[in-house]
Amino acid sequence: MRNPKDFWAGLLFLGIGGAFIAVALAGGYELGSARRMGPGYFPVWLGGGLSLTGLMLAWRGLATSGAPIGRWALMPLGLVTLGTILFGLIVNVAGLAPAIVVLVLLAAFASIHFRVSQAIALAVGLAAISVLVFIKGLGITVPVMPHVLGY
């Protein structure tokens, strides 16, 4: 293996893509067609795309030279994971907008380029865009803000 970063990233994509395909097919979801998509259509195509990307990355890791894998950045990894977990826990309780703000702020703390003003602006902007797209545009039934505010 001449490029371990690409090789291991490729195997990760391949594993996740294979899992998407396996769950969609084992779950008995109908695939349908491009004209009439079933519930398994998107996961299978997404899994196929991830698997194909993984194969290409793994091949590149074997064929080209690259830098070795460095130290694991455990603090950023932990912050992004914590943000994702908290989002899942509070989205139905506090609402979509506060959950996105929490997720973005925790993920922003993981960056070495963190600036409080930029992180707050990004969090508020993403929360507003998400509410417009997912709740107003697509009609997904998730609370927007805490029930105390009446939304």
Side-chain angles (χ1 to χ4, degrees):
M1 165 180 6
R2 298 172 60 195
N3 188 343
K5 285 183 180 181
D6 282 351
F7 179 76
W8 291 111
L11 288 186
L12 178 67
F13 283 162
L14 187 60
I16 292 171
F20 267 72
I21 294 170
V23 168
L25 295 178
Y29 299 119
E30 291 182 36
L31 289 178
S33 65
R35 246 176 200 243
R36 198 165 184 77
M37 296 177 195
Y41 189 85
F42 182 73
V44 167
W45 277 97
L46 177 66
L50 282 172
S51 297
L52 183 61
T53 302
L55 283 173
M56 289 189 298
L57 268 173
W59 176 257
R60 181 179 165 176
L62 295 172
T64 64
S65 295
I69 296 176
R71 289 182 350 158
W72 282 66
L74 294 177
M75 180 67 121
L77 179 63
L79 285 171
V80 171
T81 303
L82 177 64
T84 305
I85 291 169
L86 286 177
F87 176 87
L89 291 174
I90 68 174
V91 70
N92 286 324
V93 176
L96 181 64
I100 288 177
V101 169
V102 168
L103 171 64
V104 171
L105 290 178
L106 277 173
F109 273 112
S111 172
I112 58 172
H113 305 290
F114 174 73
R115 301 282 181 268
V116 174
S117 59
Q118 291 175 343
I120 291 172
L122 179 64
V124 170
L126 284 176
I129 290 170
S130 296
V131 167
L132 288 173
V133 169
F134 294 110
I135 295 175
K136 301 296 182 195
L138 296 174
I140 295 175
T141 56
V142 174
V144 177
M145 294 288 285
H147 297 291
V148 177
L149 299 177
Y151 291 102

